[in-house]
Amino acid sequence: MRPLLLPLLLSLLLLPVRPTDAAATPATCQSVSAVYAAKNLDVLQVRYQASGSHLAVCPARPGPSCCSREMETALENRAKTDMYQDLYQHLVPQSTSLASLLTSFQSLALQMVNNSYTRLDTSFKSIYGYSYIENKQPFLQFFEGLRAYLSGGPDTVAGVAKALFESISSRVYVLVMTNYDIDEAYLTCVRSRLDQLKPLGNMPERISQELIRAFVPARRFLAGLAALQDAVQMSPATPLPAQCQKSQLRSRYCAWCDGITNLQPCFELCSASMADCLTQLDSLAEPFDQLLDELVKLSNKIRGPNNLYQVLENLGLRISAGIMDMQERKDHIQTEVAKLCGPPKLKANGSPSIVPPPLPRPGRGRRRRRRASMFGWNYRNSDDAPGPSSQAQERLDELALTAKRSLPASRSLFRPSSLAKRFCKADPAPPGRCWNGTDSAAGYTAPASTVASPVEPPTLAVSQRVANLRAAHRLLAELPKSESFAGF
């Protein structure tokens, strides 16, 4: 046996010596087996081998290695899984936070609309009784329109308000003209002249503008939050580019082939591998941050003057005031209508054309204010009046402040530096060492002349999210800086 051992020993002595702090040995490969098993991988793939020249991604050295080819493949797949897990840990908490903020805003906004309807419905039943009950459909459609608008419906809030006030005007006109035969043709003429007649005074214009100033920013704020949340929620499932898992293998596990299990990747190597994995998501970074910054600015408007709570709280009171003013001016309105549409036909028998009793005539001055309080107009001071209270305003302020404070935490979410900051450890102080992709070293320096890997174009899902983010940002950027919302 000795003659056979001598040539083997000589051949081992002639192998080139690597400038490294460690080399694969049967003993170090045993330590690799332990960490390999901890990853739930097949330890039979860990084998001490006289040469590592067969490796495709990790350094293919002529010297000994702990990695078989199937082990390298298994570690490459494991590196890909680890990267997905890191992305999940990085993105899912932010997705959850954005979803919670979005749901809270949506719920509160819809609750305030519902409460406003409840207040109006309760007080109008008390004030107008059967006349309101028989003509409440426009109000139902109005509040349903507001809810649909907040949820992204196609109608504008100006159109929803206009439909309400046109319907109120024509219906109240019929109700107060009880001794006249108002047919559909005559009523069509009246409807076509409402802009000239202004039967409700300037109340429709004032309320419409206030609704626009409150609802347009609110809807766009909700749409912006939804776009952010959708982009983050989709991202953990985005396919990683082909170069990602190879880059992650070099960073995380190639040291094991040399029997090194106790070195962390050098920070710059880890950062570079993160960048290789985010080439798909990197296109989201700029539009995501731009939209986020606009939402932070808009949070002040959401809780400022003319917010949802302010415009909805006494909406019923203000509409009712317009209706009562129209009743008081009915003779003047009738005269103007006659000029534009001709005199209406008086009923032959002089009996009312409307079965329900006419609308109550309001008092004037102090009597009118007492009536308003009696019928529940003074919503803020009514102990048993249903609907929004100061708690809704406080909750709105609270959510707007939460958005202002928490949204900046998601900035740079899709930039490699953000992942590197969380998952890459700083290089140890000298004489500490780290893994630089090929050896134990004091740090990592990217090669001076490297051919950049071809960048894969964004997937359809990523491209769609980029478009959604840009569209939401554009809508926010279009909001006027002043309180003038002309054109909205």
Side-chain angles (χ1 to χ4, degrees), residues 15 22 55 58 113 130 138 147 225 244 286 326 355 369 411 438 441 464 471 477 483 486:
L15 288 173
L55 299 177
C58 294
V113 173
Y130 190 75
R147 286 189 287 268
L225 285 178
C244 171
E286 182 180 356
M326 180 177 175
V355 175
R369 286 194 291 272
R411 209 174 191 286
T438 58
Q464 183 60 56
E483 290 303 313

Side-chain angles (χ1 to χ4, degrees), residues 26 34 82 103 129 173 243 266 268 271 302 309 317 376 408 418 435 437 465:
D82 290 345
T103 301
Y173 178 77
Q243 73 270 20
C266 297
E268 292 300 330
S271 298
I302 295 298
Y309 173 81
L317 162 64
S418 181
W435 176 254
R465 268 61 181 197

Side-chain angles (χ1 to χ4, degrees), residues 39 79 82-83 86 245-256 260-274 419-429 432-445:
K39 296 285 185 181
D82 290 345
M83 188 61 208
D86 286 351
Q245 60 193 73
K246 290 180 171 56
S247 180
Q248 286 291 308
L249 172 60
R250 293 189 192 97
S251 174
R252 295 175 188 258
Y253 296 123
C254 278
W256 292 11
I260 304 172
T261 59
N262 59 350
L263 284 185
Q264 68 186 42
C266 297
F267 180 82
E268 292 300 330
L269 173 66
C270 179
S271 298
S273 68
M274 291 292 180
L419 263 77
K421 183 178 180 181
R422 177 168 182 177
F423 294 108
C424 300
K425 296 181 180 178
D427 294 342
R433 313 286 280 179
C434 59
W435 176 254
N436 72 356
T438 58
D439 251 318
S440 169
Y444 171 79
T445 302

